[in-house]
């Protein structure tokens, strides 16, 4: 809420939510709880304000020419797309993360960066400027996305030196881990297409070009949360290791100690996405507290501490769809452990649809049905066959065939099922729908709550698509375009200016 007020425009909805939270705290009638919450809120406000001031000071408003600057780039943060090279790294002179763009001048340069498997420091010359905000309503906010990764500026490079520079000693350990991740990615690239796509996405959190087709089908079906919960394999891995330790008669304390050390390392190797951070810390925190503090922490407490740690590290990540779906749907799973898969699937669909509409504006009619059966498919087919195919090379072809059939199944469903373009609902509607889902958990009159949900969806859809004359201006980069639409789509006119208009000055 504080983040919303600082980083974005004021919104009355957050004041209402704040009042409801304060009312809930006061209803506990516990002075201790009220004081703890007050101290916590003051601490959060102070931290977020300092974070906001720091991020503002790092953003470069006016374009600045720089020469012989040094960028530390981890091996797994090098992306080559045709002649465009994108490097995400640390600007050593500026002491901040930065996104670097460079148009490759030769085939030799392209091959060099494609084959680069080691982290390095590059000397660059170019122009640096803060990342531009979106210029159209509901356009993808790339600036906000970069801020969630603590990136505030972009560097357009004119010249880059390929001479090796010395990596600062304090970054050497991280470089080794990222180099190892790059080596794992290169190894996984050797597998057949579908095993490669699923393994790189689920095991190391890397989405290659071959995975785009699979991901697009899942997105069309409204099942993106499948990969927001991709950290589930962390739980399976830990359980497998604990079972194996019992068979080998290794003490639980020894296993816990190794997990405390290895889980943070795996978090880096897996790409440190919000779902991986959530999965690792939800396992790591209970083990750490049990081993060092002799305190038993339940899943809900672990979830709460994990989201606090994630937000303290990067507050802006709160506004990403991956983070929202990851934590919300994990909470649904925690609170409904004793429910059957059908009820869990329906609830996950109910919670995810408002967020999916807010971010993607579309909804597939099969989403609810697929949500019922997708968790077992993911848990008992996709994850096991992906891991088996990677670990046991003899099963790689079989695993690839099974994953291929599942991908074809998703693709056929996406092609045959109708997609409803709902439009972007108002934030009030999103919060109301999520609140009604919470009411559905505790209310005895569930039919009434369901009817209210249906009415909210219908009302929101009718408001977005009500018949009216519409005039829309687009900034398309090279110039402006204008869309004129009459009621009932009787006439639609698109006026494209085709470039920037320059008027001659009067002599």
């Amino acid at each position: 809420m504080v983040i919303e007020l600082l980083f974005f425009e004021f919104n009355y909805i957050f004041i209402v939510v704040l009042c409801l939270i304060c009312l809930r705290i006061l209803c506990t009638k516990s002075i201790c709880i009220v004081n703890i919450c007050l101290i916590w809120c003051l601490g959060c406000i102070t931290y977020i304000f300092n974070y906001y001031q720091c991020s503002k000071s790092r953003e470069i408003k006016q374009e600045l020419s720089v020469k012989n600057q040094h960028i530390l780039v981890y091996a797994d943060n090098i992306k080559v797309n045709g002649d465009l090279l994108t490097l995400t790294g640390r600007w050593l002179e500026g002491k901040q993360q930065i996104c670097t763009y460079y148009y490759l001048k030769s085939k030799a340069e392209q091959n060099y960066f494609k084959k680069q498997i080691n982290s390095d420091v590059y000397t660059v010359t170019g122009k640096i400027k803060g990342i531009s905000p979106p210029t159209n309503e509901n356009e993808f906010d790339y600036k906000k996305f970069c801020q969630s990764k603590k990136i505030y500026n972009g560097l357009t490079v004119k010249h880059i030196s390929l001479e090796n520079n010395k990596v600062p000693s304090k970054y050497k350990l991280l470089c080794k881990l990222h180099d190892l991740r790059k080596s794992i990615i290169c190894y996984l690239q050797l597998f057949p297409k579908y095993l490669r796509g699923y393994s790189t996405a689920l095991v190391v959190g890397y989405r290659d070009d071959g995975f785009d087709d699979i991901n697009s089908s899942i997105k069309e079906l409204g099942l993106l949360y499948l990969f927001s919960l991709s950290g589930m394999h962390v739980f399976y891995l830990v359980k497998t290791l604990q079972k194996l330790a019992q068979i080998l008669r290794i003490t639980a304390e020894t296993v816990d100690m190794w997990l405390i050390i290895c889980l943070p390392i795996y978090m880096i190797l897996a790409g440190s996405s919000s779902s991986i951070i959530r999965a690792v810390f939800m396992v790591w925190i209970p083990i750490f507290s049990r081993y060092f503090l002799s305190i038993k922490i339940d899943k809900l407490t672990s979830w709460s501490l994990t989201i606090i740690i994630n937000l303290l590290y990067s507050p802006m990540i709160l506004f990403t769809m991956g983070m929202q779906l990851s934590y919300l749907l994990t909470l649904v799973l925690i609170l409904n452990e004793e429910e059957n898969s059908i009820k869990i699937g329906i609830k996950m669909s109910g919670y995810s649809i408002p967020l999916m509409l807010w971010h993607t504006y579309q909804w597939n009619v099969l989403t609810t049905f697929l949500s019922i059966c997708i968790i077992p498919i993911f848990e008992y087919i996709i994850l096991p066959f992906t891991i088996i195919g990677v670990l046991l090379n003899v099963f790689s072809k079989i695993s690839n065939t099974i994953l291929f059939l599942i991908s074809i199944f998703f693709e056929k469903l996406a092609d045959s099922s109708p997609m409803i373009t709902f439009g972007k609902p108002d934030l009030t509607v999103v919060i109301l729908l999520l609140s009604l889902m919470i009411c559905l958990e505790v209310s005895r009159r569930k039919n009434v709550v369901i009817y209210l949900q249906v009415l909210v969806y219908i009302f929101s859809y009718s408001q977005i698509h009500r018949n009216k004359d519409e005039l829309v201006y687009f900034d398309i980069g090279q110039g402006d375009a204008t869309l004129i639409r009459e009621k009932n789509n009787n006439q639609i006119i698109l006026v494209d200016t085709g470039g920037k208009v320059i008027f001659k000055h009067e002599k």
Side-chain angles (χ1 to χ4, degrees):
M1 193 175 313
V2 178
I3 304 171
E4 169 70 22
L5 294 175
L6 288 174
F7 284 90
F8 303 99
E9 70 279 358
F10 171 80
N11 197 308
Y12 74 92
I13 297 172
F14 292 90
I15 297 299
V16 174
V17 174
L18 176 61
C19 292
L20 291 174
I21 293 173
C22 292
L23 182 62
R24 176 66 184 91
I25 294 171
L26 292 173
C27 287
T28 61
K29 298 180 181 180
S30 171
I31 297 176
C32 180
I33 293 176
V34 172
N35 289 335
I36 290 173
C37 290
L38 181 62
I39 294 171
W40 171 252
C41 288
L42 290 174
C44 285
I45 291 172
T46 304
Y47 175 80
I48 297 298
F49 182 77
N50 289 334
Y51 183 92
Y52 171 75
Q53 293 295 330
C54 182
S55 65
K56 282 292 183 183
S57 65
R58 290 183 174 183
E59 185 178 354
I60 298 173
K61 302 293 184 183
Q62 299 295 328
E63 189 175 72
L64 178 66
S65 295
V66 293
K67 187 177 181 180
N68 295 329
Q69 300 295 294
H70 297 90
I71 311 295
L72 170 62
V73 181
Y74 297 127
D76 55 337
N77 286 335
I78 300 173
K79 293 184 179 179
V80 178
N81 183 11
D83 64 342
L84 177 63
L85 172 68
T86 305
L87 305 173
T88 304
R90 185 162 186 83
W91 179 22
L92 298 181
E93 285 80 4
K95 298 181 180 179
Q96 60 175 281
Q97 293 293 109
I98 196 167
C99 199
T100 305
Y101 308 96
Y102 174 65
Y103 284 97
L104 299 164
K105 295 182 174 63
S106 66
K107 195 73 175 178
E109 278 190 338
Q110 185 185 59
N111 291 332
Y112 174 85
F113 284 105
K114 278 186 175 181
K115 296 177 180 179
Q116 184 66 284
I117 59 172
N118 295 314
S119 302
D120 205 349
V121 175
Y122 299 99
T123 304
V124 299
T125 298
K127 294 183 178 180
I128 186 171
K129 187 182 178 183
I131 296 171
S132 301
T135 55
N136 297 300
E137 186 179 3
N138 296 330
E139 180 184 343
F140 174 70
D141 196 336
Y142 183 66
K143 181 176 182 178
K144 191 191 298 183
F145 171 77
C146 288
Q147 287 176 341
S148 70
K149 297 180 177 294
K150 294 188 174 182
I151 298 173
Y152 307 100
N153 299 293
L155 174 62
T156 303
V157 176
K158 290 185 177 180
H159 178 264
I160 184 168
S161 173
L162 302 182
E163 295 179 3
N164 291 329
N165 295 289
K166 188 177 180 180
V167 175
S169 56
K170 64 180 179 180
Y171 296 111
K172 283 186 177 180
L173 178 58
L174 279 174
C175 286
K176 293 293 183 184
L177 292 174
H178 284 277
D179 292 350
L180 177 58
R181 181 172 185 254
K182 179 68 174 184
S183 299
I184 295 172
I185 292 171
C186 292
Y187 169 73
L188 295 175
Q189 295 290 320
L190 300 175
F191 287 103
K193 177 182 176 181
Y194 293 92
L195 179 58
R196 178 178 71 240
Y198 278 104
S199 61
T200 53
L202 296 176
V203 178
V204 290
Y206 179 81
R207 308 287 175 86
D208 65 353
D209 296 334
F211 192 67
D212 289 343
D213 296 336
I214 305 170
N215 190 47
S216 62
S217 299
I218 293 172
K219 183 178 179 181
E220 287 180 26
L221 292 170
L223 300 174
L224 270 179
Y225 64 81
L226 180 71
F227 291 94
S228 296
L229 295 171
S230 61
M232 282 197 297
H233 65 277
V234 176
F235 295 96
Y236 294 116
L237 180 62
V238 171
K239 290 296 181 184
T240 302
L241 290 175
Q242 290 172 341
K243 290 286 184 182
L244 185 61
Q246 287 180 353
I247 296 172
L248 298 175
R249 297 184 179 181
I250 300 174
T251 62
E253 290 77 12
T254 303
V255 176
D256 286 348
M257 189 62 200
W258 277 105
L259 288 173
I260 289 171
I261 297 171
C262 294
L263 283 174
I265 294 174
Y266 176 73
M267 183 177 70
I268 297 173
L269 295 177
S272 302
S273 65
S274 57
S275 59
I276 291 297
I277 293 173
R278 184 252 316 150
V280 167
F281 273 103
M282 282 191 65
V283 175
W284 188 86
I285 288 174
I287 295 174
F288 180 87
S289 64
R290 183 173 65 244
Y291 188 87
F292 288 103
L293 306 175
S294 300
I295 298 174
K296 188 177 181 180
I297 293 181
D298 59 23
K299 291 181 180 180
L300 188 58
T301 304
S302 178
W303 178 89
S304 303
L305 292 173
T306 301
I307 195 172
I308 289 171
I309 292 170
N310 208 338
L311 289 176
L312 287 176
Y313 172 71
S314 179
M316 289 299 294
I317 202 171
L318 176 66
F319 297 97
T320 62
M321 181 172 65
M323 195 272 188
Q324 293 169 2
L325 287 174
S326 178
Y327 280 95
L328 178 60
L329 298 180
T330 303
L331 180 61
V332 173
L333 289 174
I334 291 173
L335 297 178
N336 294 276
E337 282 185 310
E338 298 180 358
E339 299 285 358
N340 59 54
S341 59
I342 295 177
K343 288 185 178 180
I344 292 176
I346 293 173
K347 287 183 178 181
M348 290 180 71
S349 179
Y351 280 105
S352 63
I353 288 174
L355 291 176
M356 293 292 291
L357 292 179
W358 171 255
H359 289 283
T360 67
Y361 324 138
Q362 293 179 319
W363 177 68
N364 195 291
V365 295
L366 290 179
T367 297
T368 304
F369 168 74
L370 289 173
S371 296
I372 298 171
C373 59
I374 197 63
I375 293 298
I377 293 174
F378 188 67
E379 184 176 346
Y380 296 112
I381 301 178
I382 295 177
L383 263 179
F385 279 98
T386 299
I387 295 173
I388 290 171
V390 169
L391 296 179
L392 302 174
N393 198 40
V394 68
F395 292 107
S396 61
K397 290 185 178 180
I398 298 174
S399 298
N400 184 70
T401 302
I402 292 172
L403 294 173
F404 164 72
L405 294 174
I406 291 174
S407 300
I408 292 297
F409 171 70
F410 285 146
E411 186 178 338
K412 295 296 182 184
L413 284 177
D415 292 339
S416 60
S417 57
M419 178 71 75
I420 298 174
T421 303
F422 190 94
K424 186 173 184 177
D426 190 79
L427 184 58
T428 312
V429 174
V430 175
I431 293 177
L432 178 59
L433 288 170
L434 292 175
S435 301
L436 288 172
M437 282 301 302
I438 296 172
C439 292
L440 198 60
E441 300 275 1
V442 295
S443 176
R444 294 181 179 178
R445 306 180 69 178
K446 298 185 183 299
N447 290 338
V448 176
V449 179
I450 293 172
Y451 290 146
L452 285 174
Q453 284 181 306
V454 173
L455 288 175
V456 171
Y457 277 114
I458 294 173
F459 176 77
S460 178
Y461 183 85
S462 61
Q463 286 294 108
I464 295 171
H465 296 275
R466 60 185 177 183
N467 288 327
K468 59 180 180 179
D469 294 327
E470 190 174 22
L471 180 65
V472 183
Y473 296 101
F474 298 98
D475 178 0
I476 57 175
Q478 297 298 321
D480 294 331
T482 305
L483 178 70
I484 304 169
R485 185 170 67 177
E486 294 184 0
K487 288 182 180 179
N488 301 314
N489 293 330
N490 289 332
Q491 189 175 21
I492 299 176
I493 302 171
L494 178 65
V495 182
D496 186 359
T497 59
K500 295 182 180 179
V501 179
I502 301 176
F503 296 97
K504 292 182 179 180
H505 294 286
E506 207 176 296
K507 293 183 179 179

